[in-house]
Amino acid sequence: SRVSPSAPPLPEALAASEAEGPRPAPCKMSAAPQLIWECVRKNNAFLRKCPNMPTMSAEPGNLMGLNSSKFSGIAAAKVLDIRSKKTGDKETIVLTTTHKKGSRSQRPGSRVLTTGLKKQPKKGLAQIDKVMDAGFYRLDLLAMAKAKYNKVRASFKKKKVVVKSRRAGK
Amino acid sequence: MATGRPVVSVYNCENPAEKTSTVPMPQALLSPLRPDLVRYIHTNVSKNKRQPISVGAKVGYETAAESWGTGRAVARVPRAPGGGTHRSGQGAFGNMCRGGGMFSPTKTWRRWHRRVNVTQKRHAVVSALAASSLPPLVMARGHRIGQVAELPLVVSDSLESQTKTKQAVEILKKIGCTEELQRVIDSKKVRAGKGKMRNRRYTMRRGPLVVYNEDNGIVRAMRNIPGVETACVTRLNLLKVAPGGTLGRFIIWTEGAFKKMNEMYGTLKSGAPMKKGYHLLRAQMENADIARIINSTEVQSVLRPKLEAPKKFALKQNALKNKSVMARLNPAAADAKAARAAAPAAAKRKAREAASKEHNKKHKRGEDTFYKKLMRAFEAKAADEAKDGEDAEEAEE
């Protein structure tokens, strides 16, 4: 039986260098996602704890904001996130994924790829499908990603709360 | 031995957008991550800079107190002698007495320092350095490295000969440390606790650690930048490389320093040339990515197919007694039963009604009902009495 999620591909430099035998010996960083998760799970700068709540995590790549290896934005092989981003006056919906190239994992700036999502639900959900379903990217999060997309869209429709003062207008 | 080591780009100091050359990653930076080791060694090594403190040796005992013994209606605690002052006769010496000494007074000859095995210390440093080249760990520690081009960050050697702080700051900012430096400056706060009155007034976060090979001015250039620390490669301190015992300090290397790491630590096979008798840390698992191992073709091809969980049967329920089970087996049973029950009942009812009607027809009372009988009897009696009355009247006349 398969275990999910699978690991990042070998860094490019390895593939480029002379391969010994059928598979180049994996002399890569000690960067196994599980190992990093173990180092980071109890103690990191993004942990947010409050009483009677599950432990949450504030890192930018975390779909649910929960501190768990499944959703982690720092210690996961493949990162997935959908959130809103304010660019100037407008708010956009942004999809975050890990870059396909293994070498990018060493570059903090380009470790993670952000693409915008259309705000039209039909198109936006189709985009998510294209990345996840067709691209076989984190299928275990597909349903949650779509749900979050809808929630983010819903959050854009802000109703102005009119507070009627009891004192005024009598 | 795999020589497929990843390669790190060196960024030009003057123009950090361009890469001048590449250096293969020193083996030391590929060491296994050992947070447990780093924490253990950090807790011990950080004890080594402590200065002894204790309460004064004579504190609490600088009275000529003596116990009054028994027979004086007071507790037997030693009491201050003399008279003419509040102090006289008050309890002294004991930890329970006001102005007495403490229980088990702290001594300066407490064991303040800890020795740690040299090899362990070296392993810890090497593990912490390896962690500093992993973006997840550096991010997790709280450094803002979003703008940094690559980890480990190696800058050309001209950084070592900077003399002016202003230029050093500019270079750091061009490299991508603006956010990081800003974070440190923003975090300056007055310390919570008594430390603020003990010459440790402010706390702030730790910024990048700049590791150099030769100090041609860099230390002095950088020493006044808040948060930035410098260290020479040959003398790396775990307390700087893993502050707080946590892995993942943001480290900026100069090219010379990065190359020196090879000379200092060597490879797994060779020893460490500059550290006598030291061999680099080996991993317990060469390939720690368990998910990948399990999903690999080598393993998957040899596994037997997944077993189905054994089917669990519920306790058997008797269809003849249990309506729902019967309904499941024979959906028509319920209707048939209802029909059966309904048919005789209806027939019986009809028969009863018919019989009752027959009986009523046969035994019609007509004038013979109870009430009519009763009234007839009454009327008869009333008529008799009336008649008797008339007779009596006639007889009188």
Side-chain angles (χ1 to χ4, degrees):
Chain A
S1 49
R2 295 247 149 187
V3 169
S4 72
S6 59
L10 288 174
E12 270 206 339
L14 275 194
S17 71
E18 51 294 64
E20 303 167 17
R23 168 188 291 204
C27 182
K28 51 184 172 180
M29 326 288 169
S30 14
Q34 283 130 321
L35 180 55
I36 295 182
W37 172 248
E38 284 300 317
C39 291
V40 151
R41 60 174 247 265
K42 275 195 193 162
N43 184 5
N44 68 67
F46 303 106
L47 269 186
R48 303 285 181 261
K49 289 190 180 183
C50 18
N52 302 322
M53 286 285 284
T55 321
M56 310 205 112
S57 190
E59 75 255 20
N62 193 322
L63 183 70
M64 304 289 271
L66 290 174
N67 188 45
S68 122
S69 62
K70 185 169 178 183
F71 300 113
S72 172
I74 37 175
K78 289 189 183 170
V79 160
L80 184 84
D81 189 17
I82 293 179
R83 53 177 62 196
S84 69
K85 184 170 150 188
K86 229 189 174 152
T87 38
D89 251 353
K90 293 194 181 169
E91 291 203 75
T92 50
I93 310 181
V94 150
L95 170 75
T96 310
T97 51
T98 347
H99 205 282
K100 265 193 280 184
K101 278 191 176 179
S103 59
R104 294 288 172 105
S105 66
Q106 289 308 111
R107 297 191 225 160
S110 36
R111 200 174 61 97
V112 134
L113 211 57
T114 48
T115 45
L117 290 178
K118 298 235 182 273
K119 287 192 212 168
Q120 254 185 311
K122 199 169 107 182
K123 288 193 181 171
L125 290 172
Q127 279 179 301
I128 296 178
D129 265 330
K130 188 171 173 202
V131 169
M132 295 178 81
D133 221 349
F136 295 107
Y137 188 87
R138 288 295 235 136
L139 289 172
D140 54 334
L141 298 183
L142 182 58
M144 278 182 264
K146 289 189 174 168
K148 182 152 187 201
Y149 172 81
N150 287 324
K151 294 235 166 179
V152 173
R153 270 193 67 244
S155 75
F156 287 162
K157 303 179 212 158
K158 281 179 214 126
K159 275 208 179 143
K160 280 202 140 187
V161 181
V162 178
V163 181
K164 279 185 109 183
S165 163
R166 267 184 263 160
R167 276 183 247 136
K170 272 259 170 99
Chain B
M1 183 57 212
T3 47
R5 275 192 270 145
V7 134
V8 179
S9 319
V10 178
Y11 291 86
N12 190 353
C13 206
E14 274 78 49
N15 180 11
E18 69 180 57
K19 309 179 200 177
T20 52
S21 54
T22 56
V23 185
M25 182 93 101
Q27 187 67 41
L29 292 190
L30 297 171
S31 306
L33 302 176
R34 293 275 258 122
D36 59 323
L37 190 64
V38 169
R39 191 174 307 133
Y40 163 72
I41 290 182
H42 180 87
T43 50
N44 286 320
V45 168
S46 60
K47 294 177 184 171
N48 290 344
K49 205 177 171 201
R50 297 194 289 184
Q51 291 184 339
I53 59 162
S54 68
V55 292
K58 294 201 190 159
V59 161
Y61 291 90
E62 285 166 306
T63 42
E66 262 199 68
S67 173
W68 289 356
T70 49
R72 295 253 237 139
V74 290
R76 293 178 279 179
V77 70
R79 293 180 183 275
T85 172
H86 278 297
R87 183 62 178 143
S88 40
Q90 285 183 343
F93 286 172
N95 57 321
M96 63 282 194
C97 301
R98 179 174 179 276
M102 64 178 276
F103 160 72
S104 190
T106 52
K107 302 289 184 201
T108 51
W109 57 83
R110 175 191 297 199
R111 190 171 69 105
W112 298 99
H113 307 95
R114 297 286 180 274
R115 57 172 303 280
V116 185
N117 296 344
V118 172
T119 314
Q120 280 185 326
K121 287 195 267 195
R122 287 171 176 166
H123 282 339
V125 169
V126 141
S127 187
L129 290 176
S132 75
S133 60
L134 293 173
L137 293 177
V138 181
M139 276 169 60
R141 200 182 162 273
H143 293 288
R144 310 281 187 256
I145 49 170
Q147 303 299 318
V148 171
E150 184 179 343
L151 278 193
L153 183 59
V154 185
V155 179
S156 60
D157 273 336
S158 43
L159 183 65
E160 289 174 0
S161 33
Q162 293 301 319
T163 46
K164 300 296 275 173
T165 306
K166 197 165 183 172
Q167 281 165 10
V169 173
E170 261 186 52
I171 292 174
L172 285 178
K173 288 196 173 170
K174 280 200 217 151
I175 289 176
C177 301
T178 337
E179 227 189 318
E180 177 70 359
L181 293 177
Q182 192 57 44
R183 172 183 85 104
V184 174
I185 295 171
D186 290 339
S187 67
K188 187 170 185 188
K189 294 246 165 72
V190 171
R191 185 186 292 263
K194 288 281 188 322
K196 69 164 98 47
M197 322 177 194
R198 295 178 181 172
N199 307 326
R200 287 168 246 132
R201 190 144 181 96
Y202 295 102
T203 48
M204 52 187 183
R205 303 288 84 78
R206 304 253 200 156
L209 176 69
V210 179
V211 178
Y212 61 87
N213 185 19
E214 259 182 53
D215 176 17
N216 291 326
I218 182 176
V219 176
R220 286 211 259 176
M222 296 217 163
R223 78 181 169 193
N224 204 24
I225 309 176
V228 176
E229 290 177 319
T230 52
C232 178
V233 209
T234 48
R235 302 184 289 276
L236 284 171
N237 185 355
L238 184 70
L239 302 176
K240 293 230 174 96
V241 178
T246 50
L247 295 174
R249 177 124 196 224
F250 177 30
I251 299 184
I252 301 173
W253 302 84
T254 58
E255 194 178 347
F258 207 65
K259 287 184 180 161
K260 196 91 184 264
M261 290 288 286
N262 274 315
E263 292 169 48
M264 283 172 60
Y265 288 103
T267 57
L268 283 176
K269 263 201 191 157
S270 72
M274 285 171 65
K275 295 192 185 294
K276 185 170 158 201
Y278 177 65
H279 292 263
L280 277 174
L281 194 54
R282 270 183 195 279
Q284 288 287 74
M285 281 178 82
E286 276 289 335
N287 182 10
D289 204 337
I290 300 181
R292 198 152 182 216
I293 292 173
I294 294 177
N295 287 337
S296 69
T297 41
E298 289 95 329
V299 171
Q300 290 289 322
S301 60
V302 183
L303 295 176
R304 64 157 162 69
K306 182 175 180 179
L307 288 176
E308 287 297 316
K311 197 161 186 206
K312 286 216 168 129
F313 291 98
L315 186 65
K316 183 189 171 187
Q317 293 179 308
N318 189 358
L320 296 175
K321 292 193 185 171
N322 189 321
K323 269 185 262 184
S324 55
V325 176
M326 188 51 148
R328 207 188 313 145
L329 289 171
N330 178 10
D335 296 331
K337 186 173 182 185
R340 269 199 307 270
K348 272 193 196 151
R349 193 167 177 212
K350 275 200 181 133
R352 235 187 312 129
E353 280 174 359
S356 164
K357 278 203 174 130
E358 276 295 317
H359 186 264
N360 286 345
K361 265 198 191 144
K362 262 198 238 159
H363 304 278
K364 268 205 166 171
R365 298 250 189 149
E367 292 301 307
D368 243 356
T369 63
F370 176 73
Y371 177 72
K372 286 185 180 159
K373 267 199 221 165
L374 187 69
M375 292 316 293
R376 261 184 266 135
F378 260 121
E379 275 154 21
K381 194 173 183 190
D384 282 342
E385 280 179 3
K387 210 175 168 195
D388 286 340
E390 278 180 23
D391 287 344
E393 275 186 19
E394 281 184 25
E396 279 181 23
E397 282 183 8

